[in-house]
Amino acid sequence: MSTLTNPLVSIITPTYNRADFIEQAVNSVLAQTYASFELLIVDDGSTDNTRDLLKPALADSRVRYFRQQNQGQSVARNLALSEAKGDLVCFLDSDNYWPAEKLEHQVSLFRQHPDYDVIYGDIIVIDEKGQEVSRKNMRRYSGHIARYMICDNCVSMNTAMARRQCFDELGAMSGKRRVADDYDLWLRFSARFRFLYVPEFLAYYRVMDDQISSDKTRRFDSNWQIITDFRQEFPDAMSEQEFDSGFAAFHSRKARYLASHGFRSQALAEMVKALRLLPLRRASWRSLAAVLLK
C-alpha cells in the first residue's frame, strides 16, 4: 500500500504491556471502511512482546511506530500529536477496539456538520475476555457543553474525533497527572468548541482491574484539580452559578462514593461543601439523604 502523504485522520494509540490486546486494537483500525488515515502507535516502554506482535501491522505504510521510556499515556499521546499529519484526530487505547465503520461515519458527520469541532458517541463495555458487560451509557450532550462537563466528563475518549485546530489553539494533553488527563482535555475544549454527540456505539471499551481509570479515589482527586484549574483558566466559560452547580455536583458525587465505601464522616463533609455552594439545589439534598441512609 502506498504511503498517504496527506491522511485526513490521525489515530493515536499509546500502549504499555498490552500484548494480549494490542493486535485486536490495531486490526480494528486496519479493517476500517475508511482508508485515508494514519495510525501512530507509541510504545510507552513495554517490557512484553508488543513490538513483535506489531510487525505484521507495520508492513502497512499507514502505521507508524514510536517507542519511548515509560512516561505515561499523556506523554505518549503528545508525542504522537507532534507527529500527526491529519486534520482530524482520534484516540484508540490499545486494550479497546472499534467497529469497522467508525471512521467513515464520523468523517461523514464532519462533512454534514462543519460547525462542530468534536464528534463523539457511546461505548460498549466489555470485560478482559472480550465478553459484553453493558451498553448502558451516561447522559451525553451536544453544543456548548462546558456547563455539563464541569459536573462530570461525558466525552468518551475512544469514541471522540476532533479537529486538529482544537489542539493547535488550546494545546494537547496537559501531562500534569496520570489520571483523568482526558477529562482535562475535553473540559478545556468545551470552553471554546462545539461538540456533537451521536447516540451510536463507536467503540468497545475494555474494563480491567489494572487500569489507571479503575482507581476512583485518585480519579476524584484529579478531577477536583482539573475543575479548579479550569475555573481559574476559563472564568468566562460559563456563569458563576453554573460553576457553583458543577462544583456542588462534584462534591455530591464524591460524597455518595465515600458513603458507599463506609466513609460516612468524609461523605458528610463533602455534602456540607455542596450545600454551602448551592443550598437550594434539590439534587444536593437528595444526595445528603442518600448519604445519611447509607
Side-chain angles (χ1 to χ4, degrees), residues 68-194:
Q68 64 179 25
Q69 291 184 339
N70 182 249
Q71 300 175 71
Q73 273 192 340
S74 295
V75 176
R77 285 168 174 157
N78 285 345
L79 171 60
L81 278 166
S82 71
E83 297 283 345
K85 302 174 182 176
D87 291 332
L88 299 172
V89 176
C90 48
F91 301 89
L92 176 63
D93 293 339
S94 57
D95 43 12
N96 304 324
Y97 65 96
W98 285 340
E101 300 81 13
K102 194 262 190 189
L103 293 182
E104 183 177 12
H105 185 40
Q106 286 185 293
V107 169
S108 176
L109 286 169
F110 266 114
R111 289 172 177 157
Q112 295 170 40
H113 303 281
D115 52 338
Y116 285 92
D117 306 292
V118 182
I119 296 176
Y120 71 109
D122 289 325
I123 57 172
I124 297 174
V125 178
I126 57 175
D127 63 17
E128 193 161 349
K129 296 179 180 179
Q131 299 298 309
E132 183 175 322
V133 174
S134 174
R135 295 195 176 209
K136 184 178 180 180
N137 278 251
M138 67 189 303
R139 189 171 181 181
R140 308 187 194 275
Y141 305 90
S142 293
H144 294 289
I145 65 171
R147 65 185 184 276
Y148 304 113
M149 287 290 291
I150 197 70
C151 297
D152 198 3
N153 181 18
C154 67
V155 179
S156 169
M157 186 76 164
N158 285 256
T159 71
M161 181 182 285
R163 297 188 189 277
R164 179 56 188 256
Q165 169 194 348
C166 300
F167 299 92
D168 293 340
E169 291 187 21
L170 289 183
M173 314 302 295
S174 74
K176 293 180 181 178
R177 47 193 78 85
R178 291 178 73 95
V179 179
D181 223 19
D182 57 327
Y183 181 27
D184 177 272
L185 179 76
W186 304 126
L187 183 58
R188 280 188 285 120
F189 282 10
S190 74
R192 300 274 176 83
F193 303 114
R194 298 185 75 220

Side-chain angles (χ1 to χ4, degrees), residues 67 95 209:
R67 183 177 172 84
D95 43 12
D209 290 338

